[in-house]
Amino acid sequence: MANIRDVAKKAGVSVATVSRVVNKNGYVKKSTLEKVNKAISELNYSPNAIAVSLNNKKTKTLGLILPDITNPFFPELAKAVEEVANQNGYTMILCNSNGLLEKEMEHIEMLERKYADGIILASDSYTEERLKGTDLPMVLLDRGVNPNHSSITANNFSGAVMATKHLLKQGCKKIAHIAGPKNVLTAVDRLKGYQSVVRDSNWYDGDLIIHANYNTKEAITATKKLLEMDSSIDGIFASNDLIAIGCLKAIRSIGWKVPDDIAVIGFDGISLTDLIIPQLSTIKQPVYEMGEAATKLLINEIEVGKKESLFKEFDVTLIHRESTDKRGEINE
Amino acid sequence: MANIRDVAKKAGVSVATVSRVVNKNGYVKKSTLEKVNKAISELNYSPNAIAVSLNNKKTKTLGLILPDITNPFFPELAKAVEEVANQNGYTMILCNSNGLLEKEMEHIEMLERKYADGIILASDSYTEERLKGTDLPMVLLDRGVNPNHSSITANNFSGAVMATKHLLKQGCKKIAHIAGPKNVLTAVDRLKGYQSVVRDSNWYDGDLIIHANYNTKEAITATKKLLEMDSSIDGIFASNDLIAIGCLKAIRSIGWKVPDDIAVIGFDGISLTDLIIPQLSTIKQPVYEMGEAATKLLINEIEVGKKESLFKEFDVTLIHRESTDKRGEINE
DNA sequence: TTGAAAGCGATACCAT
DNA sequence: ATGGTATCGCTTTCAA
């Protein structure tokens, strides 16, 4: 591949001049500009990004660290980040942490060594402590407010309130909650939302809450345990859609009917919820918008600089379908 | 961040020596080695990857170009690529092409400018023609054999044969096929497999084949059209799982029962097939293994060099479940 | 308006 | 066994 000196030689000018026309800065006489442009196109020249980066310490690269790309919630987020990044001339490095703090730190260090310009961190295992060393611009997803980094979240608390109230409205008399992991912020907020609604009901009992990881398999076990313990439960608010799907499977396996015997609602709004039978009611997060906002925020921080940490919270919406409503919206 | 000169100064040696200890090559006296290592850890030094890249023209970066990360088939592929890449010290840039040839070419050019070491291309719109300019190591996924690039595929033809025969074995008397796009190689092979099995049946008719894109929405329309045209169809082989799910939804909306009135089988084996009701029979591709193989092949080509284009085809397996079998394996 | 040359941070060859 | 220095490809002063 041709380099800047080849172009300079071909155009009969200095490399400095070529640099000026490539970057459209500094004074260049019209006629030389044309000569240079001609040489550039003839040699099919395009600047070596590595060399450019070595100078200005910018790589036009963003890192996206996720717990698990195979969790259906994240691909759409990744898509948003990638698209917005591309639109702004950035490229996205994808890192899977598998929820391991260890791996997460390795990824961050690697991104620093490669001089990524910034990081979007969507992590379960985040602890403020460990991020101290890093001075890379970083935007947090689904983490709480914190003085050092901007962050984007959905309104998990109010979503949980909406979900629980919806079950109540559908006539549920005893609502259980399958909560996510205790150390995951979103799970905690959703649990709090649930509790705020049902705490004062006469049927309420701490045993109605059971914890499970954000996946289908554990949710099946948890649901069975719950229903064996108390067969009068007639509504479940699951901390995310994958868990809710586990509920549905467990319920089906013991022969109960949804929503007649028991209603189920999830959280996230992954597209899966629309494909299963019965269609799953859920609280939808605006995933794409969140990814978009995070990326824009990060790029702004990189290019303009950061004055203060911003905290942006997105509203969620109730989507009621067959799993809670006898006459839900059925999108065939 | 400290650079190599800081370390050299602190250790009282030259940068050349520091470089030697960092790269563990050349002779270094034990005592100086210790001095240097001490300085390195005290300064928390780690080599600037950009500078290294400028020298050796290697960035330890791989590009993965996908049609669409939100298609559930791809996240697992991406995960495999990312993991294997990481294990070998590489980093993965994710690019979404949206199936647009245009975008794909832009991504390839960008990866070249950033000096990615190689590319894994999983693309619908690939044409040999357009790849001519590129001399980056590249491994193709789901593209046919071709002289210039190694490639990885699943055995789509024989999978389609298995799927179709399974429907026959379950007692289907008239099997339709919802094929994928005509220009997509996997779709074409699956269509051929279907045809090879049913071509000589007395009920066979070209009208039993209908094309749709690899998504649920179009499949719903296609299925309805098919069943309106010929209500004696009692089996559908869908070109992928997303299409098969569309079939299921369409069938449900007109009140037919699966598998009693009509059986459905898909292709790919995405995890979704296990979560829906009825559970979907499918032909499972070993996605993770395919991603793994592609990445290893690519890295080998990068580091060892390529002698010839390799063509590796993976076997697929039949997973029969409720959508075709009255007594399928029910994994609850 | 243009060019020469000093970096950016590392590697590797050539001396010593 | 160690050090000096040219080099990778580009940007950016400083002079002219």
Side-chain angles (χ1 to χ4, degrees), chain B residues 7-20:
Chain B
V7 177
K9 197 178 297 170
K10 181 144 202 154
V13 298
S14 74
V15 295
T17 301
V18 176
S19 177
R20 283 188 197 99

Side-chain angles (χ1 to χ4, degrees), chain B residues 163-169 171-177 193-209 226 229-230 232-237:
Chain B
T164 314
K165 284 191 175 163
H166 184 68
L167 290 176
L168 246 21
K169 195 173 136 207
C172 293
K173 301 290 181 235
K174 189 181 260 189
I175 301 169
H177 178 48
Y194 159 80
Q195 285 175 315
S196 79
V197 174
V198 301
R199 194 169 27 218
D200 298 327
S201 307
N202 54 5
W203 50 261
Y204 178 69
D205 179 344
D207 285 351
L208 291 171
I209 297 164
L226 215 43
M229 175 195 84
D230 184 347
S232 66
I233 292 169
D234 60 357
I236 297 181
F237 164 42

Side-chain angles (χ1 to χ4, degrees), chain A residues 126-128 131 139-154 156 185-186 189 306 308-313:
Chain A
Y126 159 76
T127 57
E128 178 70 8
L131 261 30
V139 170
L140 271 22
L141 255 145
D142 276 348
R143 304 292 109 202
V145 206
N146 100 49
N148 301 318
H149 304 286
S150 293
S151 74
I152 302 282
T153 51
N156 292 290
L185 196 73
T186 54
D189 284 348
K306 172 168 100 158
E308 50 182 345
S309 292
L310 261 48
F311 175 60
K312 188 159 184 181
E313 188 170 73

Side-chain angles (χ1 to χ4, degrees), chain A residues 286-329:
Chain A
V287 209
Y288 192 93
E289 286 74 10
M290 289 167 69
E292 193 178 10
T295 313
K296 285 182 175 167
L297 203 55
L298 182 59
I299 291 178
N300 189 65
E301 206 166 285
I302 291 168
E303 298 184 348
V304 181
K306 172 168 100 158
K307 284 192 281 292
E308 50 182 345
S309 292
L310 261 48
F311 175 60
K312 188 159 184 181
E313 188 170 73
F314 280 78
D315 285 333
V316 296
T317 51
L318 168 68
I319 299 186
H320 49 101
R321 299 207 186 95
E322 297 168 320
S323 72
T324 53
D325 299 26
K326 304 214 171 134
R327 311 204 164 282
E329 325 162 5

Side-chain angles (χ1 to χ4, degrees), chain B residues 297-310:
Chain B
L297 203 55
L298 181 60
I299 291 178
N300 189 65
E301 206 167 287
I302 291 168
E303 298 184 348
V304 182
K306 173 167 100 159
K307 285 193 281 292
E308 49 181 345
S309 291
L310 262 49

